[in-house]
Amino acid sequence: MRALILSDIHANLEALNAVLEAAAGTYDVLWNLGDVVGYGASPNEVIEIIRPLAQLNVRGNHDRVCCGLASALGFNPIARAAANWTHDEMTEENRQWLAGVPKGPIHPEGVPGIVLAHGSPLNEDQYILTMRDAWAPLQQTGIEITFIGHTHLQGGFCQREEQWHELRPRYETRNDAESWILPLPERTRHLINPGSVGQPRDHDWRAAFAIYDSEASEIVFHRVPYDLTTAQGRILMAELPEKLALRLREGR
């Protein structure tokens, strides 16, 4: 079984299209880890692509706010402005679909040892940024592989007995499509972040995703370039905060 893992698309249509084109024919199921909308200027278009394609969806914090399930008051002013714009821009049908996306963690049926979450599997709003953050989820859940998003940082953490490691893919460029393979040894627990499709924050502007291959016991991390200029132009034309367009080029 090969699963395409996407997270934090954030209404970036150009990045999503580039990812789906790059991944075409290489996966059996698509799992979406949340934050389909927010920040970007194409919420309806992105939802209408993801809805029929994803076998499993987990809600993100921006999804929760943008569809009206939670207040935007906890967001910074830029995120709040984007969330309010997104709420008004979405169709009623798409708002209702987003409101029905379940909270993580989710256990894919028929796939033992796998969990899907947006933030920590212990708290959907918690960011797992450091080994200290990863310690409790790795110790308490007992799950072999937990796929998470939320941080927009591709990589993760693993633990085997007394050994702990932080995982960061290593790439050669910042311009071309590249991949990096992570073998999955037995008796090892992993927290894996596929990275953000639509707004990476690891100083690499390229769209990020991952493919989990259960038969090969590996995860392949990917980065692909996309039509950045058009994505930025959509944000500016929508009169969203200019910083949301500028940060796409910076990858942060």
Side-chain angles (χ1 to χ4, degrees):
M1 189 275 297
R2 298 169 301 171
L4 171 60
I5 319 292
L6 305 183
S7 190
D8 298 283
I9 302 168
H10 281 294
N12 188 331
L13 177 63
E14 286 67 36
L16 176 59
N17 282 336
V19 164
L20 293 176
E21 181 179 355
T26 66
Y27 64 94
D28 306 306
V29 296
L30 191 159
W31 296 339
N32 161 43
L33 305 182
D35 276 358
V36 175
V37 299
Y39 297 136
S42 303
N44 289 306
E45 296 89 338
V46 164
I47 288 175
E48 286 157 15
I49 290 172
I50 285 296
R51 282 179 65 180
L53 284 182
Q55 281 71 32
L56 289 175
N57 296 281
V58 181
R59 78 178 185 192
N61 56 313
H62 284 260
D63 300 331
R64 194 172 71 238
V65 170
C66 289
C67 73
L69 287 178
S71 169
L73 292 178
F75 282 178
N76 65 56
I78 290 176
R80 189 183 313 134
N84 290 334
W85 178 89
T86 300
H87 177 272
D88 295 340
E89 183 71 11
M90 281 192 297
T91 66
E92 181 62 25
E93 181 181 0
N94 286 337
R95 277 198 299 270
Q96 290 181 5
W97 175 80
L98 204 56
V101 172
K103 172 184 177 181
I106 292 176
H107 298 257
E109 186 177 353
V111 189
I114 302 292
V115 159
L116 311 181
H118 181 65
S120 167
L122 304 179
N123 181 339
E124 64 177 329
D125 291 325
Q126 180 184 353
Y127 291 89
I128 298 181
L129 294 164
T130 67
M131 190 66 75
R132 183 184 296 273
D133 302 327
W135 188 89
L138 286 172
Q139 287 291 304
Q140 294 181 30
T141 62
I143 299 296
E144 293 177 18
I145 306 173
T146 302
F147 289 104
I148 59 171
H150 201 32
T151 68
H152 300 212
L153 302 176
Q154 191 178 59
F157 303 88
C158 69
Q159 180 252 328
R160 182 176 184 180
E161 297 177 349
E162 301 303 317
Q163 298 180 346
W164 298 74
H165 299 284
E166 182 174 354
L167 310 168
R168 294 293 173 216
R170 296 183 292 273
Y171 299 114
E172 299 296 326
T173 76
R174 287 291 187 269
N175 297 306
D176 303 321
E178 292 185 86
S179 61
W180 188 77
I181 298 174
L182 173 69
L184 299 171
E186 295 181 355
R187 300 185 302 279
T188 303
R189 297 174 182 170
H190 290 83
L191 284 168
I192 298 294
N193 192 321
S196 172
V197 171
Q199 195 191 90
R201 293 180 185 169
D202 50 9
H203 302 281
D204 186 337
W205 69 277
R206 296 172 296 176
F209 66 99
I211 293 178
Y212 164 62
D213 189 327
S214 61
E215 293 185 8
S217 294
E218 66 183 22
I219 294 169
V220 184
F221 292 99
H222 293 267
R223 300 306 282 254
V224 293
Y226 67 94
D227 186 351
L228 176 68
T229 300
T230 297
Q232 291 177 311
R234 289 183 191 273
I235 290 171
L236 298 175
M237 290 296 291
E239 299 184 351
L240 286 161
E242 184 179 6
K243 182 179 179 180
L244 294 175
L246 296 176
R247 72 187 304 177
L248 293 182
R249 168 61 68 184
E250 299 167 355
R252 66 176 181 85

